[in-house]
Amino acid sequence: KDNPIGFAAHKLEADARKWKEEDNPMVAAARKMAKLMKQMAKFCRGEEGEVHSKKELINTAKLIAKESEAVARMARKVADACTDKRMKRSVLQVVDKLP
């Protein structure tokens, strides 16, 4: 059965594992988002987990959006501090694609 949320959670978790979480709030936020997405995926598959209702599912989605906004803010700060114009533009292009 297709599970796009679960797939996205797995991919995000795998990508976040490439980096140390210590002193890196963007990685911490990415790992938190992956955990929340896994919770949503379990609910959507009808499995027992931390999410028990549609209301909790919506609240979990809101938490993911909040973390995504935090990552975008942090990434913009990184871009603003970047002295390489091409790198800055590249980071900002990626930030603009964040949901």
Side-chain angles (χ1 to χ4, degrees):
K1 191 174 181 179
D2 265 340
N3 188 352
I5 298 171
F7 178 77
H10 178 74
K11 173 102 173 81
L12 180 57
E13 184 178 54
D15 287 343
R17 260 193 247 121
K18 296 175 186 176
W19 306 93
K20 290 184 180 179
E21 186 173 347
E22 187 177 317
D23 298 325
N24 192 333
M26 281 197 279
V27 173
R31 289 185 180 169
K32 183 175 181 180
M33 288 169 44
K35 179 183 173 192
L36 293 167
M37 290 165 67
K38 282 182 170 184
Q39 292 173 5
M40 290 177 68
K42 282 180 88 171
F43 176 80
C44 291
R45 287 192 309 262
E47 297 175 11
E48 283 293 319
E50 293 84 352
V51 178
H52 301 99
S53 67
K54 288 181 182 178
K55 183 176 182 177
E56 288 180 3
L57 183 72
I58 292 167
N59 287 336
T60 303
K62 288 178 181 179
L63 290 173
I64 293 169
K66 183 179 175 184
E67 291 299 321
S68 179
E69 289 169 2
V71 169
R73 279 193 306 276
M74 290 182 265
R76 281 190 185 92
K77 286 181 183 179
V78 169
D80 289 342
C82 188
T83 56
D84 183 314
K85 289 181 182 183
R86 286 185 295 181
M87 181 68 74
K88 179 177 183 169
R89 186 172 41 249
S90 178
V91 170
L92 290 173
Q93 287 174 341
V94 171
V95 170
D96 287 343
K97 293 179 183 178
L98 292 175

